[in-house]
Amino acid sequence: MIIAIKPGAPAAEVEAFSALLEKQGVRVNLSQGASQTVLGLVGDTSAIDAEALLAHHLVEKVIRVQEPYKRANRMFHPDDTWIDISGPDGAVRHLGGPYLGIMAGPCSVESRDQIVQVAQAVKKAGAGFLRGGAFKPRTSPYSFQGLGPAGLDLLLEAKKEAGIPVVTELMDIHHLELFGDVDIIQVGARNMQNFTLLKELGRSAKPILLKRGYACTITELLMAAEYILAGGNSRVILCERGIRSFDPYTRNILDLSAVPALKRQSHLPVIVDPSHATGLAWMVPAMAKAAVAAGADGLIIEVHNNPEAALCDGEQSITPGAFAALMGALRRLADIEGKTI
Ligand code: PEP
Ligand code: MN
């Protein structure tokens, strides 16, 4: 971090200011030019608030050289992180690095038959993980809110029956005790900046799937991941799921450039959700393939055995048949990318 000091600032005050900064654990190199004094801060500046510094009467300008996230930063962790998850069938699934992790299943758990059938179908097609929401964040309070704890029980039954690990959304930290047998905890787009939730999940031993908020920047997503990492939980998966735009043609705009950007900035696995990004089932296969070609480490795809009758997001859900066909294409793409599904 570089701090330009206002011209004419008294040297003694600059010295005192430098000493104050050093108390925050950084080294300060003072450069005195003919008309400008510059402070170079060396060390971990992640705890130093650039905006707060601007309020200081001596400070003219602050330039951040290093990103404000340290644990998520590839600079301090050059190798890809990947996550291993053992399934109820004894097989270990991997996500990140040389592995492509595929999560698939309905938007919401609706009934025992529905979730077990979809679980069996996506597992047969080669998915590594079953998705299914029990607690649903809906825009309208009158829409289906998910089956809650009963839905979670059905999801866990499907996990056992089909022999596939599960990923499901946690909206309220008070429900965490119900998530003991959940394999990956999802933090939805609407909760990406629920810092209380993120801090609590930092203390959890479970892998966390962190979805990008639909109006959040790449840096904000990485800072949200940093909350979980700073709490001691190193198993974070980032997810691009589309951001808001002016064009209603698709539900969101799939920001595929976020994939190489996140992978450049961070060592964490990055997956893509083409279902919520587009909102259109017919567009999902094209964008799923594009995501893998862009370097994604995985996908989360909505699959429903009867999309027309789905209680949530039927229009963006593909059928098990379409999913199986897509898996064939994804396997070929994974080969080209040097990844294993
Ligand atoms: C979901 O995956 O079920 C979901 C609600 O997604 P998002 O948080 O990205 O909207
Ligand atoms: Mn959905």
Side-chain angles (χ1 to χ4, degrees):
M1 185 179 285
I2 294 161
I3 303 174
I5 299 294
K6 283 188 180 145
E13 281 195 38
V14 177
E15 290 276 329
F17 180 48
S18 303
L20 207 71
L21 290 168
E22 290 202 323
K23 281 206 180 110
Q24 297 189 48
V26 290
R27 222 175 60 239
V28 179
N29 292 328
L30 191 148
S31 312
Q32 180 83 62
S35 59
Q36 180 86 68
T37 301
V38 167
L39 306 181
L41 274 54
V42 190
D44 183 6
T45 56
S46 44
I48 296 187
D49 185 340
E51 275 84 46
L53 285 177
L54 281 170
H56 195 282
H57 70 280
L58 293 177
V59 175
E60 174 91 21
K61 212 187 222 178
V62 179
I63 301 162
R64 252 199 190 283
V65 180
Q66 210 171 293
E67 282 79 26
Y69 44 88
K70 186 162 185 264
R71 290 172 176 83
N73 202 325
R74 195 180 274 283
M75 192 182 280
F76 305 108
H77 193 300
D79 296 333
D80 285 340
T81 286
W82 73 73
I83 292 171
D84 299 329
I85 293 157
S86 2
D89 53 356
V92 180
R93 272 80 172 175
H94 314 277
L95 224 152
Y99 303 102
L100 195 64
I102 310 292
M103 307 174 182
C107 179
S108 312
V109 178
E110 297 171 6
S111 68
R112 192 181 189 284
D113 279 356
Q114 173 241 21
I115 194 66
V116 172
Q117 274 177 31
V118 177
Q120 283 165 340
V122 299
K123 174 159 185 195
K124 186 157 173 251
F129 308 86
L130 171 68
R131 66 149 287 150
F135 299 94
K136 295 303 303 178
R138 303 303 302 277
T139 300
S140 167
Y142 309 116
S143 302
F144 175 59
Q145 303 286 306
L147 296 179
L152 206 49
D153 287 345
L154 294 178
L155 182 71
L156 294 172
E157 268 189 54
K159 165 181 169 170
K160 255 198 250 156
E161 196 120 331
I164 183 169
V166 294
V167 51
T168 192
E169 179 164 354
L170 175 75
M171 285 170 57
D172 183 335
I173 200 63
H174 298 107
H175 294 146
L176 187 58
E177 61 194 33
L178 303 174
F179 281 58
D181 292 327
V182 167
D183 300 281
I184 303 176
I185 297 178
Q186 175 175 326
V187 174
R190 291 154 191 83
N191 269 319
M192 189 202 89
Q193 287 188 314
N194 180 339
F195 300 115
T196 317
L197 190 62
L198 299 178
K199 280 185 197 170
E200 287 289 339
L201 293 175
R203 287 190 273 276
S204 160
K206 302 259 182 208
I208 309 297
L209 171 61
L210 180 62
K211 299 189 85 174
R212 179 183 181 183
Y214 41 66
C216 289
T217 64
I218 284 168
T219 301
E220 284 165 341
L221 173 56
L222 290 167
M223 290 306 285
E226 191 77 7
Y227 264 89
I228 302 169
L229 300 169
N233 185 350
S234 60
R235 301 203 291 168
V236 179
I237 303 151
L238 305 171
C239 179
E240 162 57 37
R241 47 76 73 207
I243 51 175
R244 275 278 159 88
S245 113
F246 55 88
D247 191 340
Y249 191 88
T250 48
R251 185 175 179 179
N252 292 285
I253 292 288
L254 177 53
D255 178 11
L256 270 190
S257 62
V259 175
L262 288 167
K263 293 200 60 76
R264 182 184 176 89
Q265 296 302 124
S266 179
H267 53 92
L268 297 171
V270 178
I271 72 165
V272 168
D273 175 346
S275 311
H276 290 91
T278 63
L280 299 165
W282 60 265
M283 208 184 267
V284 165
M287 300 320 277
K289 290 183 275 187
V292 175
D297 297 301
L299 295 162
I300 179 162
I301 297 174
E302 287 190 341
V303 177
H304 197 288
N305 49 354
N306 185 3
E308 282 180 19
L311 296 181
C312 183
D313 287 349
E315 68 281 22
Q316 68 191 34
S317 301
I318 60 173
T319 59
F323 177 69
L326 173 59
M327 282 301 291
L330 293 177
R331 276 197 198 89
R332 293 191 292 278
L333 268 175
D335 240 16
I336 295 169
E337 293 290 317
K339 292 190 177 185
T340 309
I341 292 189

